[in-house]
Amino acid sequence: MQKTRKNIRLKKYDYSQGGYYFVTICTQNREAILGNVVNGKMILNEFGKIVDEKINELKKYKNIDIDIYCVMPNHIHMIIILVGADPRVRPNVLGSTQGSTPTVGEYVKRLKTLTTRIYIENVKMNRWPPFDKRLWQRNYYEHIIRNETEYLKIKEYIQLNPIMWERDRNNPKNMPL
């Protein structure tokens, strides 16, 4: 029997509308494939550097900014700022919009897809370790930041993440067996 996945998104919320979003993306099985934390500082490996570069490349899209982010050994935290959907865009017959503003989920999907392709190329060409089925977890965590107090707390959490790694629940040392 297949397990039903819980939807963590707000019902009827437009995730393409302007706002600040706290996003966490985890690697499949929390595998530490992005680097290591050494003395409270994140040291990116080759793949971690590629992920870092691709996060920065998201800024090329006109309606997104990455306020702050942190690549950790097995996850990424970031605050994504969307400037909002274009109200001039009209839905087509099927209900979707042509040329509409991408949602937070679509940006996350772009990042996961692009970095997975690059990783696969390096498995073939540079003998990186292969992965089983997925490189990234199927879903991601997202929180709509509603006020400045939340924003400041989340920003501080992201900034301190490498320093707090020893106590982080995503640290493989702290996960139940």
Side-chain angles (χ1 to χ4, degrees):
M1 183 166 110
Q2 188 165 349
K3 190 167 114 175
T4 305
R5 296 185 66 82
K6 181 181 172 189
N7 188 349
I8 61 170
R9 311 289 171 247
L10 286 177
K11 286 181 176 29
K12 299 184 181 182
Y13 185 84
D14 178 3
Y15 282 90
S16 69
Q17 78 180 16
Y20 286 62
Y21 301 86
F22 173 47
V23 173
T24 300
I25 306 168
C26 295
T27 60
Q28 185 69 10
N29 301 319
R30 301 277 201 303
E31 294 287 331
I33 60 172
L34 301 168
N36 293 299
V37 175
V38 178
N39 298 323
K41 183 171 170 43
M42 181 61 196
I43 309 298
L44 299 173
N45 62 19
E46 191 173 354
F47 183 57
K49 290 175 185 174
I50 291 167
V51 169
D52 184 78
E53 178 184 316
K54 297 308 170 191
I55 291 169
N56 280 299
E57 286 180 11
L58 287 174
K59 296 176 186 178
K60 74 180 179 186
Y61 298 105
K62 66 181 179 184
N63 69 315
I64 185 175
D65 192 19
I66 307 299
D67 181 65
I68 186 172
Y69 70 95
C70 181
V71 178
M72 294 296 291
N74 58 10
H75 65 282
I76 303 164
H77 291 302
M78 60 183 141
I79 295 177
I80 294 176
I81 304 170
L82 294 185
V83 296
D86 185 343
R88 298 169 295 178
V89 176
R90 299 276 181 249
N92 66 21
V93 179
L94 300 173
S96 64
T97 55
Q98 284 192 311
S100 65
T101 303
T103 64
V104 171
E106 288 166 334
Y107 284 118
V108 170
K109 182 179 177 181
R110 287 177 189 181
L111 180 64
K112 286 179 169 183
T113 301
L114 183 58
T115 55
T116 299
R117 281 189 199 140
I118 292 168
Y119 194 94
I120 290 168
E121 286 173 16
N122 280 285
V123 168
K124 293 175 183 174
M125 304 297 285
N126 297 321
R127 299 179 190 222
W128 285 11
F131 57 93
D132 185 31
K133 296 178 187 156
R134 296 182 191 278
L135 190 60
W136 301 102
Q137 279 187 355
R138 186 170 171 200
N139 216 335
Y140 64 96
Y141 171 81
E142 143 278 306
H143 172 78
I144 302 158
I145 301 173
R146 292 176 174 85
N147 58 50
E148 187 175 4
T149 302
E150 268 189 12
Y151 166 75
L152 292 172
K153 281 183 180 178
I154 292 167
K155 187 171 185 168
E156 180 181 46
Y157 174 77
I158 293 171
Q159 289 169 328
L160 294 176
N161 212 237
I163 295 167
M164 304 301 284
W165 179 242
E166 287 305 314
R167 293 184 270 171
D168 194 307
R169 68 185 180 105
N170 288 310
N171 185 329
K173 293 180 197 171
N174 301 331
M175 288 191 268
L177 298 176

